[in-house]
């Protein structure tokens, strides 16, 4: 997410897991023999309550499924995986507190999350100081992996422990601009953002690419997260004579913005990034928003042969909430941690070494497997090498994919 920021503090512990923890909780240098399984915890940080909980619950459940699958197949002999899921409510301070808590649990060897880029900024340093692996399925802000000067071409990885299975906004913003200009034939766009790390960054990248292609940004404005009256922005859009709108932000504000723009009589599309690609974007609008667009990372999971087992297994678990936009990427993030642990155990004669966390981080750089979303591997910045994206359009009150492509700069 989306540069984006994560169930009420919960840890699901069964009687069996308690037994494992009591007799097999990770003891540095201890053998992972079949008769004495070691518990390895995968942390999850996401908005499990609040307006973005639909996405957060999908993240948590998908990581839970990865852990259950690894246990069923004995993916790492002698190791039993479980998750500890913490709620950040899309608030950076909560994310940082959660990071500190996860670092304090010596059984945690990797963390999936968060959803929001702004939350990630508050967590990275905490994890890196403890050599604790972090793999986000949704962060898209380039600075998280490439440093604050990435836009100037000065790429410098700030934290070696940070990885992500989501493509960055450098990819997503440019892809959106190219679709608007080349495919939708838009020439006069009004750009709005929510002033947050994800939204503002995405809007900026989109704007630069749209102008480079020959389009005009006829106006800009900002909205505030959790507000609901965007009528002044809607009036500015209509007065500017824009033929389209681009919104950098999340679906709660995006859906209302689209609704209020259309109520002015400006029957023009609103486009956004993966932050608005959610059914709640559509339901938030009283007006029909058929014709609105969103980009999202990867190809539609439902159309991937690689995702068929994930979809079937997820349904079989009867999770209360759907896997949502980031389910496949969350499963792959969880499986990345599992594969890194597997490599460390194999390289240490079936044991977890004293510096297990450090070795897991190092092993992640070499992880490569065929995942739910396609080939999973990472470049020198910890970014995914999978740069597939999709444009979705609202048709008949539902999101329909209209173009998928591998991005090439």
């Amino acid at each position: 997410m989306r540069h984006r920021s994560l169930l009420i503090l919960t840890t699901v512990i069964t009687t069996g897991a308690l037994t494992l923890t009591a007799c097999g909780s990770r003891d540095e240098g201890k053998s992972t023999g079949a008769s004495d399984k070691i518990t390895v915890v995968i942390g999850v940080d996401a908005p499990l309550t609040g307006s973005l909980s639909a996405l957060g619950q999908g993240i948590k459940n998908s990581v839970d499924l990865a852990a259950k699958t690894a246990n069923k197949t004995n993916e790492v002999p002698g190791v039993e995986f479980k998750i500890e899921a913490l709620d950040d409510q899309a608030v950076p301070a909560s994310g940082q507190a959660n990071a500190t808590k996860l670092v304090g649990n010596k059984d945690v060897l990797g963390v999936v999350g968060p959803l929001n880029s702004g939350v990630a900024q508050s967590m990275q340093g905490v994890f890196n100081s403890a050599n604790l692996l972090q793999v986000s399925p949704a962060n898209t802000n380039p600075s998280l992996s490439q440093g604050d000067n990435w836009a100037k071409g000065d790429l410098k990885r700030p934290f070696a422990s940070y990885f992500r299975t989501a493509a960055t906004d450098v990819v997503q913003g440019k892809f959106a601009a190219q679709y608007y200009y080349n495919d939708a034939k838009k020439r006069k766009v009004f750009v709005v953002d929510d002033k947050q790390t994800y939204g503002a960054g995405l809007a900026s990248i989109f704007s630069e690419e749209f102008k480079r292609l020959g389009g005009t940004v006829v106006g800009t404005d900002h909205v505030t997260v959790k507000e609901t009256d965007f009528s002044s922005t809607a009036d500015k859009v209509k007065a500017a004579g824009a033929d389209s709108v681009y919104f950098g932000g999340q679906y709660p504000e995006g859906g209302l913005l689209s609704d209020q723009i259309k109520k002015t009589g400006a029957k023009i599309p609103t486009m956004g990034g993966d932050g608005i690609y959610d059914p709640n974007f559509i339901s938030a609008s009283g007006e029909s928003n058929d014709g609105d667009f969103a980009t999202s990372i990867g190809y539609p999971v439902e159309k991937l042969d690689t995702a068929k087992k994930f979809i079937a297994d997820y349904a079989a678990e009867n999770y209360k909430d759907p896997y949502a936009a980031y389910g496949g990427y969350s499963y792959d993030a969880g499986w990345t941690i599992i594969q890194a642990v597997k490599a460390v155990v194999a390289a240490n004669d079936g044991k977890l070494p004293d510096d297990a966390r450090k070795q897991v981080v190092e092993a992640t750089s070499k992880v490569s497997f065929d995942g739910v979303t396609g080939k999973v591997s990472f470049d020198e910045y910890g970014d995914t090498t999978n740069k597939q994206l999709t444009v979705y359009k609202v048709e008949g009150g539902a999101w329909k994919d209209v173009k998928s492509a591998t991005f090439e700069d």
Side-chain angles (χ1 to χ4, degrees), residues 23 26 52 71 103 107 118 130 151 167-168 196 213 219 241 251 267 277 303 319 324 366 375 383:
C23 67
R26 185 164 66 87
L52 298 178
N71 292 337
V103 164
D107 291 338
T168 73
Q196 302 298 300
L213 292 168
Y251 62 77
K267 303 301 182 182
Y277 175 55
K303 294 187 176 183
Y319 292 114
K366 300 175 185 178
K375 190 71 174 181
D383 288 330

Side-chain angles (χ1 to χ4, degrees), residues 119 157 207 213 246 352 358 377:
V119 174
R157 188 176 183 179
S207 297
L213 292 168
Y246 187 81
L352 281 171
K358 183 174 183 293
S377 60

Side-chain angles (χ1 to χ4, degrees), residues 137-167:
N139 298 159
T140 53
N141 189 298
S143 65
L144 296 172
S145 57
Q146 301 174 14
D148 292 337
N149 294 320
W150 64 268
K152 299 177 183 178
D154 180 17
L155 277 55
K156 185 178 297 184
R157 188 176 183 179
F159 300 107
S161 62
Y162 179 83
F163 295 79
R164 54 179 147 198
T165 55

Side-chain angles (χ1 to χ4, degrees), residues 60-118:
K60 180 204 58 123
N61 293 342
S62 299
V63 180
D64 180 68
L65 179 60
K68 288 180 176 177
T69 301
N71 292 337
K72 288 178 182 177
T73 61
N74 197 30
E75 184 67 20
V76 185
V79 172
E80 186 85 7
F81 291 96
K82 68 176 184 177
I83 71 166
E84 180 176 0
L86 303 182
D87 181 14
D88 67 16
Q89 298 181 311
V91 175
S94 297
Q96 187 174 64
N98 290 346
T100 300
K101 182 175 181 179
L102 290 167
V103 164
N105 181 349
K106 66 183 181 66
D107 291 338
V108 177
L109 293 187
V111 178
V112 175
L115 171 72
N116 308 75
S117 293

